[in-house]
Amino acid sequence: VALGVAVGTVEVSILQPMLYCKNATQQGLPLSVNPRLLYRGVSMSIINMSIITGAQFPLTGLCSKLVSGGASRPLSSAEKIWAGFMGGALSGFLCAPME
């Protein structure tokens, strides 16, 4: 869980200026390099992404165990994709209200 939270925090911190540019462009607002504008709303984005990625790691692990039937064996590529898909889908239920 801690790794997922850390990854989510780093991701948002790096990508927040691009999100600002996207939103400003969509709204027809002028772009700025002012950090106060670039990082406006970053705290909610960090909370949201930290919860999502923090939940995806253990949920994907749980789905991996379900896919393998609890057996300790390497998963096939298709099983890994399915477990990752299900872990991501389940984490959406936690974070959808924040979107």
Side-chain angles (χ1 to χ4, degrees):
V1 175
L3 178 61
V5 171
V7 168
T9 301
V10 170
E11 177 188 358
V12 169
S13 298
I14 292 170
L15 296 179
Q16 180 66 24
M18 293 297 110
L19 181 61
Y20 160 78
C21 291
K22 176 193 75 102
N23 290 337
T25 301
Q26 287 176 337
Q27 296 173 27
L29 300 173
L31 297 178
S32 172
V33 293
N34 181 346
R36 296 175 93 184
L37 293 177
L38 288 174
Y39 284 92
R40 183 172 42 195
V42 73
S43 57
M44 190 59 190
S45 293
I46 287 174
I47 290 168
N48 182 26
M49 191 56 67
S50 295
I51 292 171
I52 288 173
T53 55
Q56 283 174 349
F57 277 67
L59 288 172
T60 299
L62 175 67
C63 291
S64 295
K65 288 180 184 173
L66 291 173
V67 166
S68 70
S72 180
R73 64 172 176 79
L75 298 179
S76 70
S77 295
E79 290 172 327
K80 288 178 188 177
I81 291 169
W82 180 249
F85 172 79
M86 291 307 298
L90 291 172
S91 71
F93 289 107
L94 298 172
C95 295
M98 287 189 274
E99 295 289 329

